Amino acid sequence: MLTKLVKKVINYFDGEIQSFNRLIQETIRESEKAEISWYFFKLETTSILKEFEVWDNQIKQKFLLFCLKTYFEEAITFKKNSDSIQRSHYLRSVKSAFIKHYLSSKPELSDDFIQAWLQEMINLEQLSSSQLNDWGISYFITTIKPKTKKSGLNEELIQELKRFRQSLLNQYQRNEEKQILKLVDKIDFLLNDPGERDWYFPDSDAFGGFVNESLKSMLTETRGIWFQLISSAALATGSKPSEKYLKKSGDWIDKLKVDGFREEMHKWMEHLIALPNQTREVNHQWGETQQIFVETCLSSPQNLDYMKSLVWLMVRFNDHKTTSLLSKLAERSYKKIPQKGPTATALGNACVFVLANQKGFQGIAELSRLSTKIKVISIKKLINKYLNENASSRGLSISELEDMACEGFNLVDGKKDFFLGEFTATIQIEKPGKCEITWTNPEGKVQVSIPQTVKEYQAEKLVQLKALTKQIASTSHVQKERFDLKMRSTSIISMDYFKENYLKHGILGWIARRCIWNFMSIGVHRDVLFYEGEWRDNLGNIYKTADFQEVQLWHPSESELASVLAWRNLIFRLQLQQPFKQAFREIYLLTDAERNTNSYSNRMAAHLLRQHQFVTLAKGRGWTANLLGAWDGGYDGIASIQLPEYNFSAEFWTSAVDQEDQLNESGIWNYLSTDQVRFTHRTNLEAIPLEQIPVRIFSEIMRDVDLFVGVSSVGNDPNWQDSGGLQAYSNYWHNYAFGDLGELSKNRKQLLEQLIPRLKIAGLCNFEGNFLKVRGKLRTYKIHIGSSNILMEPNDQYLCIVPDGKKIREEDTVYLPFEGDRILSLIISKAILLAADTKISDQTIVNQIRSGL
């Protein structure tokens, strides 16, 4: 229905409505002729735009009102037999394009046009985010902004603008969309001097209430400056801050005093990091239909939007506390909410932006840490993009950038002394991700617990020491993961770089001295490990670093078998523990079957995997993997990893197991079946013959895939056959749970053959094929080395033991030559438990053991 004012405006262009219709029709015809769908339509690519551009400003404004008025009218037939819905979409797309094109040019708008436009907006019964965009309302408000600042709006227009503001708020009550509130903020900015309005956060949740209490407690002058900052933040848009926004806000920060702004932001960030997720009711209304549902969130969309823009302003600071809080807030923002995804992606992205643009290397170090923890593909890509940009701007490789960004904390080979009163506290890395604090009294004696005088008189320093210990532990874990991923690379570094950036570094040096390296000079290379204060080979021969110019991380696939075995024997003999699996790393060499298939490997095909666990594992190893579900294209998937150093990528093909409605509530398949592994060129995507793949990278990719299968296979789930199994795959479960060993399992068996003789239960154990046999007092047990599943003699009765990490921890006291292998730890735990089967207190296990006696 037309308002009187719109009728008045339209009536005085008489026969021009026909011209308007013709312009729209010609635009559609031109696009249809070019076979461009309405969805991809772009006005700027049409020749008809030139005709519109020559119209005078008054006619253009009348045309826009015509487009707005007729936006919902039935489509006019332009083409016989064309679908009416598609015609309607095309009409709206074209009208929207003309509206946005004109308003984005910031033309001089007449008062009649402004009033007519506002009245049409007010009279609409419902607004959606798509309509707000289609009608260019944000452009409209931006266009009239200069008019309000220069000559001011007349009182009638001001009242119309206020009515439109209230109309938007009414729409928000029916359809809670952040974009609507953004427009309200823009109108408030037009109607008020920011210094004259109280720009509090929306007081609709715990975070908004906390910030507003902080604001109310400030001095009036200070609070007024914060209102200026918040008003600017309310209008800031986009994925990155504009230079104008940063400069304008920077002036207000200077008036606050820099430390005052930073400290207040620290409080707000700390509160948000610690805040548990909230629940809020969200309304959505479509015509007469209204739906209210409960949403889980960190805070309201508008509060998070304000905070996002304020976080951008932290880019001028690079102190340790700011960097640490930004990293923690990013991690908190990216934490996933079930059925929804990351908690607050835009806020997390703002933190990442600031970390990437801080001076120095502290922010880069935190980005490197986040890149190992974040599993969401789009976020991981964003972080890696920032890392690449930083490396490029400094003329470094990503690896060099992350090396230099890693803080060493002034440790010496992972160790440092601190003096608290008369006591000495020594922080030492025990293993990646774990540090210990040792206390020594003035007489040089080690104390088991924290000295009482330190607790009483050095409490603040003790808190700082514990925080530092956690940070060192976290950093050591991140760097261990980096070194493990370096095993894919054939890159060579200079000896000078190795000494300066690795050996002298407090954490990287601790890791490097526990790795095997290939020292190289012209025509000569030696595989060496640092022990007994010298670099030595696997026979104990000492080598001086001065004799070599280059260094490469050693990989067992590129060494003779005898050399690999010698390294393993040496590490066992010296009771060394490597930070990651290097000497004992599984080796995957090309088989005859793979030579025959040529371009792909079926070695890991025909397995049944739990999909969610597989995708999580793949992402953790740097692969891209998407969940498959009951939708178009959701039945077949490819997990892939880019290998730019070699200019190709690796792929692991999977398919959904569409049986017996094996879907979760979100329509995601529970299980996948596995297919081939192949390598493809990054440029032409053609498959590469497997014989052309470097030995090291082939071994590493197959090791990854074997890990995915070995951990996420249903054959490792002791409950699967009874509680979640698919009848068609029952044979698979039994074959995997008790069948032949893969490379991971064969390697595990070799380790067990060396480890078991060192245990107290050694006399009760022996190996038989694929099993570790344990003789208890009640029965003899066969633990499968591949899956850790158990059979009991004499009738091979299945024994189900679901591991409890809190109860079965005896394996922690067992020496392992490297960090990580969950199934290895499970086998040792179960062996220790079953060797003393008369002492088992878990009635579920006891009943199973005694049921066959």
Side-chain angles (χ1 to χ4, degrees), residues 783-808:
I783 306 173
H784 189 259
I785 295 169
S787 64
S788 83
N789 287 319
I790 306 164
L791 297 176
M792 297 184 289
E793 292 185 347
N795 56 351
D796 278 355
Q797 179 186 343
Y798 175 58
L799 173 61
C800 178
I801 297 180
V802 179
D804 186 335
K806 294 180 181 179
K807 293 181 180 178
I808 305 177

PDB file of all heavy atoms in Angstrom, residues 783-808:
ATOM      1  N   ILE A 783      46.106 -60.004  25.369  1.00  0.00           N
ATOM      2  CA  ILE A 783      45.840 -58.600  25.014  1.00  0.00           C
ATOM      3  C   ILE A 783      46.320 -58.368  23.579  1.00  0.00           C
ATOM      4  O   ILE A 783      47.511 -58.537  23.287  1.00  0.00           O
ATOM      5  CB  ILE A 783      46.560 -57.627  25.971  1.00  0.00           C
ATOM      6  CG1 ILE A 783      46.204 -57.957  27.430  1.00  0.00           C
ATOM      7  CG2 ILE A 783      46.187 -56.188  25.653  1.00  0.00           C
ATOM      8  CD1 ILE A 783      46.991 -57.147  28.451  1.00  0.00           C
ATOM      9  N   HIS A 784      45.383 -57.974  22.703  1.00  0.00           N
ATOM     10  CA  HIS A 784      45.755 -57.761  21.306  1.00  0.00           C
ATOM     11  C   HIS A 784      46.604 -56.502  21.193  1.00  0.00           C
ATOM     12  O   HIS A 784      46.238 -55.429  21.698  1.00  0.00           O
ATOM     13  CB  HIS A 784      44.500 -57.639  20.443  1.00  0.00           C
ATOM     14  CG  HIS A 784      44.794 -57.630  18.979  1.00  0.00           C
ATOM     15  ND1 HIS A 784      44.815 -56.477  18.228  1.00  0.00           N
ATOM     16  CD2 HIS A 784      45.081 -58.645  18.113  1.00  0.00           C
ATOM     17  CE1 HIS A 784      45.104 -56.770  16.972  1.00  0.00           C
ATOM     18  NE2 HIS A 784      45.263 -58.085  16.879  1.00  0.00           N
ATOM     19  N   ILE A 785      47.733 -56.606  20.531  1.00  0.00           N
ATOM     20  CA  ILE A 785      48.701 -55.506  20.481  1.00  0.00           C
ATOM     21  C   ILE A 785      48.224 -54.382  19.561  1.00  0.00           C
ATOM     22  O   ILE A 785      48.638 -53.230  19.704  1.00  0.00           O
ATOM     23  CB  ILE A 785      50.080 -56.046  20.038  1.00  0.00           C
ATOM     24  CG1 ILE A 785      50.597 -57.005  21.112  1.00  0.00           C
ATOM     25  CG2 ILE A 785      51.085 -54.924  19.816  1.00  0.00           C
ATOM     26  CD1 ILE A 785      51.805 -57.805  20.691  1.00  0.00           C
ATOM     27  N   GLY A 786      47.312 -54.680  18.640  1.00  0.00           N
ATOM     28  CA  GLY A 786      46.793 -53.640  17.749  1.00  0.00           C
ATOM     29  C   GLY A 786      45.686 -52.816  18.373  1.00  0.00           C
ATOM     30  O   GLY A 786      45.653 -51.598  18.234  1.00  0.00           O
ATOM     31  N   SER A 787      44.763 -53.453  19.090  1.00  0.00           N
ATOM     32  CA  SER A 787      43.577 -52.759  19.594  1.00  0.00           C
ATOM     33  C   SER A 787      43.513 -52.651  21.108  1.00  0.00           C
ATOM     34  O   SER A 787      42.698 -51.903  21.634  1.00  0.00           O
ATOM     35  CB  SER A 787      42.321 -53.492  19.109  1.00  0.00           C
ATOM     36  OG  SER A 787      42.261 -54.800  19.665  1.00  0.00           O
ATOM     37  N   SER A 788      44.316 -53.425  21.824  1.00  0.00           N
ATOM     38  CA  SER A 788      44.300 -53.558  23.293  1.00  0.00           C
ATOM     39  C   SER A 788      43.079 -54.304  23.797  1.00  0.00           C
ATOM     40  O   SER A 788      42.833 -54.365  25.005  1.00  0.00           O
ATOM     41  CB  SER A 788      44.425 -52.188  24.001  1.00  0.00           C
ATOM     42  OG  SER A 788      43.185 -51.530  24.094  1.00  0.00           O
ATOM     43  N   ASN A 789      42.296 -54.905  22.889  1.00  0.00           N
ATOM     44  CA  ASN A 789      41.168 -55.734  23.313  1.00  0.00           C
ATOM     45  C   ASN A 789      41.688 -57.050  23.903  1.00  0.00           C
ATOM     46  O   ASN A 789      42.801 -57.494  23.595  1.00  0.00           O
ATOM     47  CB  ASN A 789      40.237 -56.014  22.139  1.00  0.00           C
ATOM     48  CG  ASN A 789      39.427 -54.776  21.762  1.00  0.00           C
ATOM     49  OD1 ASN A 789      38.947 -54.057  22.635  1.00  0.00           O
ATOM     50  ND2 ASN A 789      39.280 -54.529  20.471  1.00  0.00           N
ATOM     51  N   ILE A 790      40.846 -57.691  24.728  1.00  0.00           N
ATOM     52  CA  ILE A 790      41.317 -58.830  25.531  1.00  0.00           C
ATOM     53  C   ILE A 790      40.449 -60.073  25.310  1.00  0.00           C
ATOM     54  O   ILE A 790      39.214 -59.984  25.279  1.00  0.00           O
ATOM     55  CB  ILE A 790      41.287 -58.467  27.035  1.00  0.00           C
ATOM     56  CG1 ILE A 790      42.063 -57.170  27.286  1.00  0.00           C
ATOM     57  CG2 ILE A 790      41.841 -59.603  27.881  1.00  0.00           C
ATOM     58  CD1 ILE A 790      41.779 -56.547  28.634  1.00  0.00           C
ATOM     59  N   LEU A 791      41.124 -61.212  25.154  1.00  0.00           N
ATOM     60  CA  LEU A 791      40.464 -62.521  25.163  1.00  0.00           C
ATOM     61  C   LEU A 791      40.985 -63.302  26.372  1.00  0.00           C
ATOM     62  O   LEU A 791      42.157 -63.174  26.749  1.00  0.00           O
ATOM     63  CB  LEU A 791      40.767 -63.299  23.882  1.00  0.00           C
ATOM     64  CG  LEU A 791      40.262 -62.693  22.568  1.00  0.00           C
ATOM     65  CD1 LEU A 791      40.741 -63.534  21.394  1.00  0.00           C
ATOM     66  CD2 LEU A 791      38.747 -62.558  22.550  1.00  0.00           C
ATOM     67  N   MET A 792      40.097 -64.154  26.956  1.00  0.00           N
ATOM     68  CA  MET A 792      40.495 -64.939  28.134  1.00  0.00           C
ATOM     69  C   MET A 792      40.530 -66.418  27.778  1.00  0.00           C
ATOM     70  O   MET A 792      39.616 -66.933  27.110  1.00  0.00           O
ATOM     71  CB  MET A 792      39.492 -64.713  29.279  1.00  0.00           C
ATOM     72  CG  MET A 792      39.435 -63.280  29.775  1.00  0.00           C
ATOM     73  SD  MET A 792      38.327 -63.068  31.200  1.00  0.00           S
ATOM     74  CE  MET A 792      36.720 -63.290  30.433  1.00  0.00           C
ATOM     75  N   GLU A 793      41.612 -67.077  28.182  1.00  0.00           N
ATOM     76  CA  GLU A 793      41.692 -68.524  28.003  1.00  0.00           C
ATOM     77  C   GLU A 793      40.890 -69.212  29.118  1.00  0.00           C
ATOM     78  O   GLU A 793      40.667 -68.626  30.182  1.00  0.00           O
ATOM     79  CB  GLU A 793      43.166 -68.960  28.030  1.00  0.00           C
ATOM     80  CG  GLU A 793      43.945 -68.458  26.826  1.00  0.00           C
ATOM     81  CD  GLU A 793      45.372 -69.001  26.786  1.00  0.00           C
ATOM     82  OE1 GLU A 793      45.829 -69.571  27.815  1.00  0.00           O
ATOM     83  OE2 GLU A 793      46.021 -68.865  25.740  1.00  0.00           O
ATOM     84  N   PRO A 794      40.372 -70.404  28.885  1.00  0.00           N
ATOM     85  CA  PRO A 794      40.725 -71.304  27.770  1.00  0.00           C
ATOM     86  C   PRO A 794      39.827 -71.175  26.549  1.00  0.00           C
ATOM     87  O   PRO A 794      40.117 -71.754  25.509  1.00  0.00           O
ATOM     88  CB  PRO A 794      40.548 -72.686  28.400  1.00  0.00           C
ATOM     89  CG  PRO A 794      39.419 -72.488  29.365  1.00  0.00           C
ATOM     90  CD  PRO A 794      39.579 -71.105  29.930  1.00  0.00           C
ATOM     91  N   ASN A 795      38.715 -70.412  26.632  1.00  0.00           N
ATOM     92  CA  ASN A 795      37.724 -70.434  25.549  1.00  0.00           C
ATOM     93  C   ASN A 795      37.683 -69.152  24.732  1.00  0.00           C
ATOM     94  O   ASN A 795      36.728 -68.897  24.010  1.00  0.00           O
ATOM     95  CB  ASN A 795      36.334 -70.708  26.127  1.00  0.00           C
ATOM     96  CG  ASN A 795      35.956 -69.680  27.199  1.00  0.00           C
ATOM     97  OD1 ASN A 795      36.810 -68.890  27.607  1.00  0.00           O
ATOM     98  ND2 ASN A 795      34.728 -69.714  27.659  1.00  0.00           N
ATOM     99  N   ASP A 796      38.729 -68.320  24.828  1.00  0.00           N
ATOM    100  CA  ASP A 796      38.779 -67.033  24.118  1.00  0.00           C
ATOM    101  C   ASP A 796      37.535 -66.182  24.382  1.00  0.00           C
ATOM    102  O   ASP A 796      36.996 -65.520  23.491  1.00  0.00           O
ATOM    103  CB  ASP A 796      38.953 -67.250  22.614  1.00  0.00           C
ATOM    104  CG  ASP A 796      40.403 -67.503  22.248  1.00  0.00           C
ATOM    105  OD1 ASP A 796      41.268 -67.407  23.141  1.00  0.00           O
ATOM    106  OD2 ASP A 796      40.667 -67.822  21.076  1.00  0.00           O
ATOM    107  N   GLN A 797      37.095 -66.196  25.628  1.00  0.00           N
ATOM    108  CA  GLN A 797      35.970 -65.343  26.025  1.00  0.00           C
ATOM    109  C   GLN A 797      36.425 -63.888  26.020  1.00  0.00           C
ATOM    110  O   GLN A 797      37.514 -63.563  26.494  1.00  0.00           O
ATOM    111  CB  GLN A 797      35.495 -65.752  27.430  1.00  0.00           C
ATOM    112  CG  GLN A 797      34.339 -64.918  27.965  1.00  0.00           C
ATOM    113  CD  GLN A 797      34.039 -65.284  29.413  1.00  0.00           C
ATOM    114  OE1 GLN A 797      34.472 -66.346  29.897  1.00  0.00           O
ATOM    115  NE2 GLN A 797      33.307 -64.422  30.100  1.00  0.00           N
ATOM    116  N   TYR A 798      35.575 -63.015  25.479  1.00  0.00           N
ATOM    117  CA  TYR A 798      35.925 -61.590  25.376  1.00  0.00           C
ATOM    118  C   TYR A 798      35.783 -60.913  26.736  1.00  0.00           C
ATOM    119  O   TYR A 798      34.786 -61.092  27.440  1.00  0.00           O
ATOM    120  CB  TYR A 798      35.019 -60.921  24.347  1.00  0.00           C
ATOM    121  CG  TYR A 798      35.206 -59.418  24.241  1.00  0.00           C
ATOM    122  CD1 TYR A 798      36.449 -58.866  23.934  1.00  0.00           C
ATOM    123  CD2 TYR A 798      34.133 -58.542  24.455  1.00  0.00           C
ATOM    124  CE1 TYR A 798      36.620 -57.500  23.835  1.00  0.00           C
ATOM    125  CE2 TYR A 798      34.292 -57.176  24.357  1.00  0.00           C
ATOM    126  CZ  TYR A 798      35.538 -56.662  24.050  1.00  0.00           C
ATOM    127  OH  TYR A 798      35.708 -55.302  23.957  1.00  0.00           O
ATOM    128  N   LEU A 799      36.793 -60.127  27.110  1.00  0.00           N
ATOM    129  CA  LEU A 799      36.762 -59.358  28.360  1.00  0.00           C
ATOM    130  C   LEU A 799      36.727 -57.869  28.010  1.00  0.00           C
ATOM    131  O   LEU A 799      37.656 -57.347  27.390  1.00  0.00           O
ATOM    132  CB  LEU A 799      37.994 -59.668  29.215  1.00  0.00           C
ATOM    133  CG  LEU A 799      38.177 -58.801  30.477  1.00  0.00           C
ATOM    134  CD1 LEU A 799      36.994 -58.966  31.429  1.00  0.00           C
ATOM    135  CD2 LEU A 799      39.491 -59.150  31.184  1.00  0.00           C
ATOM    136  N   CYS A 800      35.669 -57.220  28.404  1.00  0.00           N
ATOM    137  CA  CYS A 800      35.510 -55.785  28.119  1.00  0.00           C
ATOM    138  C   CYS A 800      35.999 -54.963  29.301  1.00  0.00           C
ATOM    139  O   CYS A 800      35.455 -55.053  30.404  1.00  0.00           O
ATOM    140  CB  CYS A 800      34.039 -55.466  27.821  1.00  0.00           C
ATOM    141  SG  CYS A 800      33.733 -53.716  27.516  1.00  0.00           S
ATOM    142  N   ILE A 801      37.044 -54.174  29.071  1.00  0.00           N
ATOM    143  CA  ILE A 801      37.531 -53.227  30.083  1.00  0.00           C
ATOM    144  C   ILE A 801      37.551 -51.843  29.450  1.00  0.00           C
ATOM    145  O   ILE A 801      38.281 -51.600  28.482  1.00  0.00           O
ATOM    146  CB  ILE A 801      38.947 -53.593  30.576  1.00  0.00           C
ATOM    147  CG1 ILE A 801      38.942 -54.952  31.275  1.00  0.00           C
ATOM    148  CG2 ILE A 801      39.466 -52.515  31.527  1.00  0.00           C
ATOM    149  CD1 ILE A 801      40.300 -55.378  31.785  1.00  0.00           C
ATOM    150  N   VAL A 802      36.716 -50.972  29.974  1.00  0.00           N
ATOM    151  CA  VAL A 802      36.707 -49.591  29.494  1.00  0.00           C
ATOM    152  C   VAL A 802      37.700 -48.805  30.333  1.00  0.00           C
ATOM    153  O   VAL A 802      37.547 -48.714  31.555  1.00  0.00           O
ATOM    154  CB  VAL A 802      35.299 -48.967  29.610  1.00  0.00           C
ATOM    155  CG1 VAL A 802      35.325 -47.522  29.138  1.00  0.00           C
ATOM    156  CG2 VAL A 802      34.297 -49.782  28.807  1.00  0.00           C
ATOM    157  N   PRO A 803      38.749 -48.250  29.729  1.00  0.00           N
ATOM    158  CA  PRO A 803      39.813 -47.601  30.517  1.00  0.00           C
ATOM    159  C   PRO A 803      39.316 -46.382  31.272  1.00  0.00           C
ATOM    160  O   PRO A 803      38.530 -45.591  30.750  1.00  0.00           O
ATOM    161  CB  PRO A 803      40.851 -47.216  29.464  1.00  0.00           C
ATOM    162  CG  PRO A 803      40.097 -47.158  28.179  1.00  0.00           C
ATOM    163  CD  PRO A 803      39.019 -48.200  28.284  1.00  0.00           C
ATOM    164  N   ASP A 804      39.755 -46.242  32.466  1.00  0.00           N
ATOM    165  CA  ASP A 804      39.470 -45.083  33.303  1.00  0.00           C
ATOM    166  C   ASP A 804      40.792 -44.397  33.606  1.00  0.00           C
ATOM    167  O   ASP A 804      41.610 -44.923  34.349  1.00  0.00           O
ATOM    168  CB  ASP A 804      38.785 -45.509  34.599  1.00  0.00           C
ATOM    169  CG  ASP A 804      38.348 -44.304  35.436  1.00  0.00           C
ATOM    170  OD1 ASP A 804      38.951 -43.229  35.288  1.00  0.00           O
ATOM    171  OD2 ASP A 804      37.405 -44.452  36.227  1.00  0.00           O
ATOM    172  N   GLY A 805      41.002 -43.241  32.991  1.00  0.00           N
ATOM    173  CA  GLY A 805      42.283 -42.548  33.138  1.00  0.00           C
ATOM    174  C   GLY A 805      42.629 -42.204  34.570  1.00  0.00           C
ATOM    175  O   GLY A 805      43.788 -42.052  34.934  1.00  0.00           O
ATOM    176  N   LYS A 806      41.609 -42.074  35.444  1.00  0.00           N
ATOM    177  CA  LYS A 806      41.878 -41.704  36.832  1.00  0.00           C
ATOM    178  C   LYS A 806      42.331 -42.899  37.663  1.00  0.00           C
ATOM    179  O   LYS A 806      43.001 -42.751  38.667  1.00  0.00           O
ATOM    180  CB  LYS A 806      40.616 -41.094  37.446  1.00  0.00           C
ATOM    181  CG  LYS A 806      40.209 -39.769  36.815  1.00  0.00           C
ATOM    182  CD  LYS A 806      38.962 -39.214  37.467  1.00  0.00           C
ATOM    183  CE  LYS A 806      38.545 -37.894  36.820  1.00  0.00           C
ATOM    184  NZ  LYS A 806      37.312 -37.355  37.423  1.00  0.00           N
ATOM    185  N   LYS A 807      41.903 -44.105  37.235  1.00  0.00           N
ATOM    186  CA  LYS A 807      42.205 -45.286  38.042  1.00  0.00           C
ATOM    187  C   LYS A 807      43.423 -46.050  37.523  1.00  0.00           C
ATOM    188  O   LYS A 807      44.184 -46.597  38.291  1.00  0.00           O
ATOM    189  CB  LYS A 807      40.979 -46.208  38.070  1.00  0.00           C
ATOM    190  CG  LYS A 807      39.794 -45.609  38.814  1.00  0.00           C
ATOM    191  CD  LYS A 807      38.622 -46.578  38.824  1.00  0.00           C
ATOM    192  CE  LYS A 807      37.426 -45.997  39.572  1.00  0.00           C
ATOM    193  NZ  LYS A 807      36.264 -46.912  39.558  1.00  0.00           N
ATOM    194  N   ILE A 808      43.541 -46.104  36.198  1.00  0.00           N
ATOM    195  CA  ILE A 808      44.641 -46.892  35.632  1.00  0.00           C
ATOM    196  C   ILE A 808      45.772 -45.946  35.252  1.00  0.00           C
ATOM    197  O   ILE A 808      45.799 -45.399  34.166  1.00  0.00           O
ATOM    198  CB  ILE A 808      44.174 -47.693  34.409  1.00  0.00           C
ATOM    199  CG1 ILE A 808      42.976 -48.563  34.779  1.00  0.00           C
ATOM    200  CG2 ILE A 808      45.294 -48.541  33.853  1.00  0.00           C
ATOM    201  CD1 ILE A 808      42.408 -49.345  33.612  1.00  0.00           C
TER     202      ILE A 808
END
